[in-house]
Amino acid sequence: MSKTSEERSLLVLENYIGGKFVSCRSYIDSYDPSTGEVYCKVPDSGKEEVDAAVAAAKEAFPEWSACSPEQRAKILHKLADLIEANLEEFAQAESKDQGKTITAARTVDIPRAAYNFRFFSTSMLHHTTDCSPMDHMGCLNYTVRCPVGVAGLISPWNLPLYLLTWKIAPAIAAGNTVVAKPSEMTSVTAWMLCKLMQQAGVPPGVVNVVFGSGPRAGDALVSHPEVPLISFTGSTATAQRITERSAPYCKKLSLELGGKNPAIIFADADLDQCIETTVRSSFLNQGEVCLCTSRIYVERSIYSAFLERFVAAAKKWKTGVPSDPSSKNGALISKEHLEKVRSYIALAKSEGGIIHCGEGLDKLDLPQRNKSGYFMPTTVITGISDSSRVMQEEIFGPVTCISPFDTEDEAVARGNGVRYGLSATVWSKDVGKVHRVAQQLQAGLVWTNCWLVRDLNLPFGGMKNSGVGREGGKDSYHFFTEVKSITIKH
Ligand code: NAD
């Protein structure tokens, strides 16, 4: 059947299985969020494609896992080099596919994707295992760590290549082979990465990428009996489903989930630095970062001054066309997501909340071709009760709520008063206070007087409904390997 000219101009992705690009029987439309137009077709894979990918990964496992860590490290370094060499092409693609600004893609997403390979290629070389002698028994005990087998990796749409490589890099560096399923809404850079796999010399079958939806391709991967390990980043609701579906196989799970992250700002904070950083932590990447601040608690004595300055700074955080270097925010991921985020503003209004800027107040100045894009201005809300859904649920958009507090204990209790526990920020010049509060906050990551400073050696992950397990230098090594205790009697 001959293709129409519209079909010819669309980007059509293919699965990457056993080192080969393979087309699929059906496809999913993928939209350019900045225009609302379909521009790409993503394979709508199901069980058949996942089975083929798992078979390829299984076949590649014995040889790959038997390579020396140094041999694997060399290939990971090569991948990092290749991503860096193609940085601009990847950044353009990520920005178009996700709606994020070209600046964010150039300075955050793609450099970090390269660094993920660089970091894990070397960190994997430096782990040691335990040894514990029992001389009175004539025994020596020690541990060994082995790769687990075929790792199933499922990633979300907000930081597409960044989060996918955060999983692929440690999985293969530790000697596993993988089947990855990126988000069906942002699959393009994962497909581009497959081309680099060939160039870097990743043997066929070591990395397989199957594109498609969660309920079809994702579910087939999660419930595949020969995939003993799943690393998932996404929403808490999907994680619950994955936990159920993988339970019959007792799979090893790492779940990196949503957040409703508080910032606690004391009166003695350096307000210049705090406001600049908290505007960024609230709105970076359209607020579509799991670590974004969405509840800001401010000590009452500085509340009015803080609010005024924060709203003024939020208004300056320009939302515009992603390709414009002066845009700080681009478009949200989809029409459905934009509507969902907007519904929280309507809810806040209906509950008596005050909208200080953004949705409904500030009009965006967009070119004609972007009028149907999924844009929303940065929005600041006050006057909402902590029990409101606006303060309890993850909105995942350019929206933040501000509220005053009176005491340190109150700030901690309110900070902890949600089902999530991913990250938090604390602002104060009082070192003792900072330590006390950080210690009490129920969050996997606490930043004080800063935000998003990441040392990949340290554990990353959430408490409560924000996740199960940790990833990062030693933690990823532990997750992507099985430990065995061996006792030798002499
Ligand atoms: P999502 O849960 O809808 O989807 C994530 C991935 O899971 C996608 O690839 C999707 O196709 C797949 N999926 C969906 N249903 C599935 C199923 N039944 N079985 C298997 N796979 C399935 O999440 P999203 O909307 O893509 O991402 C946004 C969410 O991710 C937010 O909640 C955000 O906080 C979270 N997130 C967390 C972190 C973290 O590190 N903690 C990082 C980024 C994003």
Side-chain angles (χ1 to χ4, degrees):
M1 207 167 49
S2 67
K3 290 178 176 170
T4 63
S5 64
E6 190 209 5
E7 279 170 343
R8 268 196 296 272
S9 68
L10 292 178
L11 182 61
V12 181
L13 309 189
E14 292 180 312
N15 288 325
Y16 184 66
I17 299 175
K20 293 198 180 76
F21 286 95
V22 192
S23 59
C24 194
R25 264 198 295 268
S26 55
Y27 289 85
I28 302 169
D29 286 341
S30 183
Y31 294 80
D32 173 343
S34 75
T35 61
E37 285 162 11
V38 174
Y39 87 105
C40 173
K41 295 270 180 192
V42 174
D44 185 11
S45 311
K47 187 173 177 320
E48 194 182 315
E49 289 78 9
V50 169
D51 284 352
V54 174
K58 238 190 120 189
E59 196 184 325
F61 180 73
E63 206 171 314
W64 182 248
S65 56
C67 285
S68 73
E70 288 77 10
Q71 279 173 303
R72 294 195 291 260
K74 241 184 184 167
I75 293 180
L76 265 78
H77 264 306
K78 190 83 198 287
L79 272 170
D81 291 343
L82 286 166
I83 295 173
E84 280 165 1
N86 294 280
L87 191 143
E88 185 56 24
E89 201 188 327
F90 271 91
Q92 295 284 351
E94 199 74 299
S95 169
K96 187 175 174 72
D97 205 27
Q98 206 275 339
K100 65 179 67 227
T101 63
I102 185 65
T103 309
R106 261 185 207 137
T107 58
V108 180
D109 291 72
I110 309 305
R112 172 61 189 275
Y115 186 62
N116 284 336
F117 284 111
R118 191 87 67 209
F119 174 82
F120 283 109
S121 69
T122 51
S123 86
M124 273 307 156
L125 302 177
H126 302 289
H127 300 296
T128 53
T129 55
D130 297 325
C131 174
S132 171
M134 276 178 134
D135 292 339
H136 60 289
M137 301 281 288
C139 286
L140 176 71
N141 305 299
Y142 65 95
T143 60
V144 291
R145 286 198 166 264
C146 328
V148 185
V150 179
L153 313 177
I154 301 179
S155 54
W157 48 257
N158 62 327
L159 298 165
L161 194 67
Y162 173 134
L163 288 173
L164 184 69
T165 51
W166 171 242
K167 298 179 185 306
I168 293 178
I172 65 173
N176 302 280
T177 55
V178 310
V179 176
K181 197 216 73 72
S183 168
E184 59 276 33
M185 285 189 270
T186 51
S187 294
V188 173
T189 49
W191 172 74
M192 290 167 67
L193 180 70
C194 296
K195 297 184 189 174
L196 301 190
M197 293 285 163
Q198 291 176 331
Q199 288 177 42
V202 178
V206 170
V207 175
N208 305 276
V209 182
V210 176
F211 298 100
S213 74
R216 286 196 75 218
D219 187 71
L221 186 56
V222 167
S223 53
H224 197 296
E226 312 229 46
V227 178
L229 166 155
I230 300 287
S231 170
F232 168 78
T233 300
S235 66
T236 301
T238 304
Q240 286 161 346
R241 173 91 185 135
I242 287 177
T243 306
E244 283 167 18
R245 295 288 286 154
S246 60
Y249 308 97
C250 301
K251 295 193 181 200
K252 223 178 162 185
L253 294 182
S254 170
L255 306 171
E256 303 280 359
L257 315 177
K260 188 72 185 173
N261 312 306
I264 296 180
I265 298 166
F266 289 99
D268 66 347
D270 174 339
L271 271 199
D272 289 342
Q273 210 198 334
C274 169
I275 288 171
E276 189 191 325
T277 305
T278 310
V279 166
R280 191 165 61 89
S281 72
S282 297
F283 302 124
L284 185 76
N285 204 48
Q286 302 76 241
E288 295 168 328
V289 179
C290 55
L291 304 165
C292 270
T293 303
S294 54
R295 297 177 293 141
I296 304 175
Y297 295 107
V298 184
E299 196 160 7
R300 197 176 297 274
S301 59
I302 58 160
Y303 177 74
S304 301
F306 177 92
L307 179 62
E308 191 180 325
R309 290 181 60 185
F310 187 89
V311 170
K315 281 184 175 170
K316 285 198 193 131
W317 188 270
K318 183 182 158 193
T319 300
V321 177
S323 58
D324 178 350
S326 73
S327 296
K328 293 275 203 184
N329 272 4
L332 273 68
I333 184 67
S334 68
K335 192 162 182 281
E336 294 70 29
H337 188 57
L338 174 65
E339 277 162 15
K340 181 189 139 189
V341 176
R342 280 182 175 154
S343 76
Y344 283 99
I345 313 300
L347 177 63
K349 277 191 200 156
S350 75
E351 291 179 352
I354 300 165
I355 315 298
H356 293 264
C357 62
E359 185 61 23
L361 295 178
D362 299 315
K363 255 189 104 47
L364 294 172
D365 183 19
L366 295 164
Q368 192 53 38
R369 76 176 296 257
N370 299 100
K371 296 273 189 218
S372 302
Y374 317 131
F375 295 89
M376 176 173 164
T378 49
T379 301
V380 178
I381 307 175
T382 59
I384 286 289
S385 143
D386 279 4
S387 61
S388 165
R389 281 179 46 227
V390 179
M391 290 291 265
Q392 291 289 324
E393 297 177 6
E394 184 184 45
I395 299 176
F396 218 52
V399 182
T400 199
C401 299
I402 311 183
S403 179
F405 72 84
D406 292 298
T407 66
E408 189 180 312
D409 286 349
E410 177 200 339
V412 169
R414 292 174 69 191
N416 289 339
V418 293
R419 70 181 178 124
Y420 293 106
L422 187 55
S423 74
T425 54
V426 182
W427 290 86
S428 167
K429 288 192 196 116
D430 178 338
V431 176
K433 194 187 283 181
V434 157
H435 276 295
R436 267 195 317 274
V437 173
Q439 183 77 17
Q440 292 176 81
L441 284 171
Q442 296 163 345
L445 302 116
V446 180
W447 281 289
T448 75
N449 301 319
C450 63
W451 179 70
L452 207 56
V453 178
R454 286 277 294 119
D455 177 346
L456 302 195
N457 285 297
L458 295 189
F460 179 92
M463 295 182 180
K464 306 198 290 193
N465 281 202
S466 289
V468 175
R470 297 289 183 273
E471 294 187 10
K474 206 201 282 176
D475 296 85
S476 293
Y477 172 59
H478 285 176
F479 178 68
F480 286 110
T481 54
E482 282 285 17
V483 67
K484 191 187 303 180
S485 295
I486 299 177
T487 301
I488 306 285
K489 179 135 173 79
H490 48 87

Coordinates of all heavy atoms in Angstrom, one line a residue, residues 154-158 163 181-184 213-215 218-219 222 232-235 238 241-242 256-259 290 394 396 422 460, ligand 1:
I154 N 11.4 0.3 32.6 CA 10.2 1.1 32.2 C 10.4 2.6 32.6 O 10.6 2.8 33.8 CB 8.9 0.5 32.7 CG1 8.8 -1.0 32.2 CG2 7.7 1.3 32.2 CD1 7.6 -1.7 32.7
S155 N 10.3 3.5 31.7 CA 10.6 4.9 32.0 C 9.5 5.8 31.6 O 8.7 5.5 30.7 CB 11.9 5.3 31.4 OG 11.9 5.1 30.0
P156 N 9.4 7.0 32.2 CA 8.3 8.0 32.0 C 8.7 9.0 30.9 O 9.7 8.9 30.3 CB 8.1 8.6 33.3 CG 9.5 8.7 33.9 CD 10.3 7.5 33.3
W157 N 7.8 10.0 30.7 CA 7.9 10.9 29.7 C 8.6 12.2 30.0 O 8.8 13.1 29.2 CB 6.5 11.2 29.0 CG 5.4 11.6 30.0 CD1 4.4 10.7 30.4 CD2 5.2 12.8 30.7 NE1 3.6 11.4 31.3 CE2 4.1 12.6 31.5 CE3 5.9 14.0 30.8 CZ2 3.6 13.6 32.3 CZ3 5.4 15.0 31.6 CH2 4.3 14.8 32.4
N158 N 8.8 12.5 31.3 CA 9.2 13.8 31.7 C 10.7 14.1 31.4 O 11.0 15.2 31.0 CB 8.8 14.2 33.1 CG 9.5 13.3 34.1 OD1 9.8 12.1 33.8 ND2 9.8 13.8 35.3
L163 N 16.2 9.6 32.2 CA 15.8 8.5 33.1 C 16.0 7.1 32.5 O 16.2 6.2 33.2 CB 14.4 8.7 33.5 CG 14.2 9.9 34.5 CD1 12.7 10.2 34.8 CD2 14.9 9.6 35.8
K181 N 11.4 -0.3 27.9 CA 10.2 0.3 27.3 C 10.0 1.7 27.7 O 9.6 2.0 28.8 CB 8.9 -0.5 27.7 CG 7.8 -0.2 26.8 CD 6.4 -0.2 27.4 CE 6.1 1.0 28.2 NZ 5.9 2.3 27.5
P182 N 10.4 2.6 26.8 CA 10.2 4.1 27.2 C 8.8 4.4 27.1 O 7.9 3.7 26.6 CB 11.0 4.8 26.0 CG 11.7 3.7 25.2 CD 11.0 2.4 25.5
S183 N 8.5 5.7 27.6 CA 7.1 6.1 27.5 C 6.6 6.3 26.0 O 7.4 6.7 25.2 CB 6.9 7.5 28.2 OG 5.7 8.0 27.8
E184 N 5.4 5.8 25.7 CA 4.9 5.9 24.4 C 4.8 7.4 23.9 O 4.6 7.6 22.7 CB 3.5 5.2 24.3 CG 2.4 5.7 25.2 CD 2.5 5.1 26.6 OE1 3.6 4.9 27.1 OE2 1.4 5.0 27.2
S213 N 2.6 1.1 24.4 CA 1.9 1.6 25.6 C 2.1 0.8 26.9 O 2.6 -0.3 26.8 CB 0.4 1.6 25.3 OG -0.1 0.2 25.4
G214 N 1.8 1.4 28.0 CA 1.9 0.7 29.3 C 1.1 -0.6 29.4 O 1.6 -1.7 29.6
P215 N -0.2 -0.4 29.1 CA -1.1 -1.6 29.3 C -0.7 -2.8 28.3 O -1.0 -3.9 28.7 CB -2.5 -1.1 29.0 CG -2.4 0.4 29.3 CD -1.0 0.8 28.9
G218 N 4.2 -2.6 28.2 CA 4.7 -2.5 29.6 C 4.2 -3.8 30.4 O 5.0 -4.4 31.1
D219 N 3.0 -4.1 30.2 CA 2.4 -5.2 31.0 C 3.0 -6.5 30.5 O 3.3 -7.4 31.4 CB 0.9 -5.2 30.8 CG 0.2 -6.3 31.7 OD1 0.2 -6.0 32.9 OD2 -0.2 -7.3 31.2
V222 N 6.4 -6.7 32.3 CA 6.3 -6.9 33.7 C 5.8 -8.3 34.0 O 6.3 -8.9 35.0 CB 5.2 -5.9 34.3 CG1 4.8 -6.2 35.7 CG2 5.8 -4.5 34.2
F232 N 11.4 0.5 37.5 CA 10.3 1.4 37.0 C 10.4 2.8 37.5 O 10.6 3.0 38.7 CB 8.9 0.7 37.4 CG 7.8 1.6 37.2 CD1 7.2 1.8 35.9 CD2 7.2 2.4 38.2 CE1 6.1 2.6 35.7 CE2 6.1 3.2 38.0 CZ 5.6 3.3 36.7
T233 N 10.2 3.8 36.7 CA 10.0 5.1 37.1 C 8.7 5.6 36.5 O 8.5 5.5 35.3 CB 11.2 6.0 36.7 OG1 12.4 5.5 37.3 CG2 11.0 7.5 37.2
G234 N 7.8 6.1 37.3 CA 6.5 6.6 36.8 C 5.6 6.9 38.0 O 6.1 7.2 39.1
S235 N 4.3 6.8 37.7 CA 3.4 7.2 38.7 C 3.1 6.1 39.8 O 3.3 4.9 39.5 CB 2.0 7.6 38.1 OG 1.5 6.4 37.5
T238 N 0.6 3.4 38.6 CA 1.1 2.4 37.7 C 2.0 1.4 38.5 O 2.0 0.2 38.3 CB 2.0 3.0 36.6 OG1 1.1 3.9 35.9 CG2 2.5 2.0 35.6
R241 N 0.0 -1.3 40.1 CA -0.4 -2.3 39.1 C 0.8 -3.2 38.8 O 0.7 -4.5 38.7 CB -0.8 -1.6 37.8 CG -1.1 -2.3 36.6 CD -2.6 -2.7 36.5 NE -2.8 -3.6 35.4 CZ -3.5 -4.7 35.5 NH1 -4.1 -5.1 36.6 NH2 -3.7 -5.5 34.4
I242 N 2.0 -2.6 38.6 CA 3.2 -3.4 38.3 C 3.5 -4.4 39.5 O 3.9 -5.5 39.3 CB 4.4 -2.5 38.0 CG1 4.2 -1.8 36.7 CG2 5.7 -3.2 38.1 CD1 5.2 -0.8 36.3
E256 N 10.5 4.1 41.4 CA 10.8 5.5 41.6 C 9.5 6.2 41.2 O 9.2 6.3 40.0 CB 12.0 5.9 40.7 CG 13.2 5.1 40.9 CD 14.0 5.6 42.1 OE1 13.6 6.5 42.8 OE2 15.1 5.0 42.4
L257 N 8.8 6.8 42.2 CA 7.4 7.3 41.9 C 7.2 8.8 42.1 O 8.2 9.5 42.1 CB 6.5 6.5 42.7 CG 6.8 4.9 42.7 CD1 5.8 4.2 43.6 CD2 6.7 4.4 41.3
G258 N 6.0 9.2 42.3 CA 5.6 10.6 42.3 C 6.0 11.3 43.6 O 6.5 10.7 44.6
G259 N 5.8 12.6 43.6 CA 6.1 13.4 44.8 C 5.1 14.5 45.0 O 4.4 14.9 44.1
C290 N 9.7 15.0 39.0 CA 9.2 14.4 40.2 C 9.7 15.1 41.5 O 9.1 15.0 42.5 CB 9.6 12.9 40.3 SG 11.4 12.7 40.1
E394 N -0.3 14.9 43.5 CA 0.7 15.3 42.6 C 0.1 16.0 41.4 O -0.7 15.3 40.6 CB 1.6 14.1 42.2 CG 2.8 14.6 41.3 CD 3.6 13.4 40.8 OE1 3.0 12.4 40.3 OE2 4.9 13.5 40.9
F396 N 2.0 17.9 39.0 CA 3.0 17.6 37.9 C 2.9 18.6 36.8 O 2.9 18.3 35.6 CB 2.8 16.2 37.4 CG 4.2 15.5 37.1 CD1 5.2 15.5 38.0 CD2 4.4 15.0 35.8 CE1 6.4 14.9 37.7 CE2 5.6 14.4 35.5 CZ 6.6 14.3 36.5
L422 N 9.1 12.0 48.6 CA 10.3 11.9 47.7 C 11.4 12.9 48.1 O 12.5 12.5 48.4 CB 9.8 12.2 46.2 CG 10.9 11.9 45.1 CD1 11.5 10.5 45.2 CD2 10.3 12.2 43.7
F460 N 19.2 7.4 45.6 CA 18.1 8.2 45.1 C 16.8 7.4 45.2 O 16.8 6.2 44.7 CB 18.4 8.6 43.6 CG 17.3 9.4 43.0 CD1 17.3 10.8 43.1 CD2 16.1 8.8 42.5 CE1 16.3 11.6 42.6 CE2 15.1 9.6 42.0 CZ 15.2 11.0 42.0
Ligands
NAD1 P1 3.1 6.5 34.1 O1 3.1 5.7 35.4 O2 1.8 6.8 33.5 O3 4.0 5.8 33.0 C1 5.4 5.5 33.2 C2 5.8 4.3 32.3 O4 5.0 3.2 32.7 C3 5.5 4.6 30.9 O5 6.5 4.0 30.1 C4 4.1 3.8 30.7 O6 3.9 3.4 29.4 C5 4.4 2.6 31.6 N1 3.1 2.0 32.0 C6 1.9 2.5 32.2 N2 1.0 1.5 32.6 C7 1.7 0.4 32.7 C8 1.4 -0.9 33.1 N3 0.1 -1.3 33.4 N4 2.4 -1.9 33.1 C9 3.6 -1.5 32.8 N5 4.0 -0.3 32.4 C10 3.1 0.7 32.4 O7 3.9 7.8 34.5 P2 4.2 9.1 33.6 O8 2.9 9.8 33.5 O9 4.8 8.6 32.3 O10 5.2 9.9 34.4 C11 4.9 10.8 35.4 C12 5.1 10.2 36.7 O11 6.4 9.7 36.9 C13 4.9 11.2 37.8 O12 4.1 10.6 38.9 C14 6.3 11.5 38.3 O13 6.4 12.0 39.6 C15 6.9 10.1 38.2 N6 8.4 10.3 38.1 C16 9.1 9.8 39.2 C17 10.5 9.9 39.2 C18 11.3 9.4 40.3 O14 12.5 9.3 40.1 N7 10.8 9.2 41.5 C19 11.1 10.5 38.1 C20 10.3 11.0 37.0 C21 9.0 10.8 37.1

